[in-house]
Amino acid sequence: MGQQKLVGRRILIGSDDSAFAFRLSDALGAAGAEVIYPANTIEDILDMIMSSSRIDAAILGLSVQGEVTFVAAENLGRRQIPFAFLIRQNAPDIPEEFEDIVQLETSGNLSNMVRLLQTLIIRAHRIRGRGEGLGIGEA
């Protein structure tokens, strides 16, 4: 990755695909991020989101352990935390309120995912700096 584009940024990975999550964690770490992991159940994901810990961005599987993660997505939106969904085969349908959220395939390029997270964080910071809300569809 070369540059440390995400130095000091805390990224939550919520996925039950451990092999992918560890590869993504390594890529984010190489870019300087502090990865908040493992969060491989909906309870763990919600606990992390609802804690007072800072989260700068998140990557969230559409489902973990067979449970959809839309309640976690709603909470990320409320806390104005930018996030993207991880998409796998046989993924559940995405509700209309989340149609504008970036969707990443687990088979995708990890470098592109790192760049996307950096873009999401920068965009969220600019929106907050203007005093605007970060709506769920804007993440």
Side-chain angles (χ1 to χ4, degrees):
M1 306 255 158
Q3 298 177 347
Q4 298 260 309
K5 299 176 180 181
L6 294 172
V7 171
R9 300 300 187 166
R10 298 192 67 209
I11 312 295
L12 170 63
I13 299 174
S15 173
D16 58 2
D17 182 342
S18 296
F20 173 78
F22 283 118
R23 286 194 316 274
L24 180 57
S25 179
D26 287 345
L28 290 167
E34 177 187 340
V35 177
I36 305 166
Y37 183 81
N40 58 6
T41 68
I42 191 66
E43 292 84 8
D44 287 346
I45 294 167
L46 287 171
D47 284 347
M48 290 179 191
I49 293 169
M50 301 309 287
S51 76
S52 60
S53 296
R54 189 184 93 239
I55 301 172
D56 294 301
I59 295 184
L60 193 62
L62 282 177
S63 66
V64 292
Q65 307 290 324
E67 294 185 62
V68 293
T69 58
F70 302 127
V71 68
E74 289 170 355
N75 282 287
L76 287 167
R78 277 190 212 107
R79 283 194 61 194
Q80 299 186 355
I81 299 169
F83 68 96
F85 282 124
L86 283 174
I87 306 297
R88 296 190 297 204
Q89 274 188 320
N90 303 320
D93 291 333
I94 297 176
E96 188 175 308
E97 67 188 286
F98 299 118
E99 286 178 348
D100 294 335
I101 299 298
V102 174
Q103 299 174 30
L104 305 169
E105 293 188 20
T106 56
S107 61
N109 181 297
L110 293 175
S111 294
N112 289 341
M113 290 182 192
V114 170
R115 280 192 292 279
L116 171 78
L117 279 175
Q118 181 184 22
T119 300
L120 289 176
I121 291 168
I122 290 168
R123 185 181 339 151
H125 182 72
R126 286 183 185 151
I127 289 169
R128 284 188 210 117
R130 292 192 306 252
E132 300 172 26
L134 179 65
I136 288 176
E138 297 171 320

